[in-house]
Amino acid sequence: MNSTEPIPKKLDAAAAKSLDIKKISYVNDEPLFRFDFNEDPMAVEKLREGISKFAADAETLKSVLKEKIEKA
C-alpha cells in the first residue's frame, strides 16, 4: 500500500478562480434556494441520509445514557 509515485494534482484554486462560474446568492431568496436544492438529487439524498444517521445516533446515545443512569 505504500507508494512513492507522485500524486497528480486534480484541484487547483488558482485555476478555479479563472473559471467563468456564475455566483449565486440565496441570502434574500429562500424560495429560490429551496427550488435549486430540490433540483439536486444528490443534495436531497445526502441531507436525508445525514438526518437519518443523526437520528439513529441520537437513539443510540439515549440508550447508552439510560443504561448508565440505571446502573448508577
Side-chain angles (χ1 to χ4, degrees), residues 47-62:
L47 179 61
R48 185 214 56 79
E49 180 184 324
I51 291 170
S52 179
K53 287 182 178 184
F54 184 86
D57 288 345
E59 290 301 317
T60 302
L61 178 60
K62 207 182 319 182

Side-chain angles (χ1 to χ4, degrees), residues 10-56:
K10 298 285 185 175
L11 302 175
D12 183 4
K17 286 181 182 179
S18 68
L19 297 174
D20 185 26
I21 299 173
K22 180 182 170 190
K23 184 176 180 177
I24 301 173
S25 174
Y26 299 106
V27 172
N28 295 315
D29 198 347
E30 184 179 350
L32 178 60
F33 167 77
R34 290 182 181 276
F35 179 81
D36 286 351
F37 176 80
N38 286 321
E39 289 292 302
D40 185 341
M42 185 169 65
V44 172
E45 173 58 22
K46 287 299 181 181
L47 179 61
R48 185 214 56 79
E49 180 184 324
I51 291 170
S52 179
K53 287 182 178 184
F54 184 86

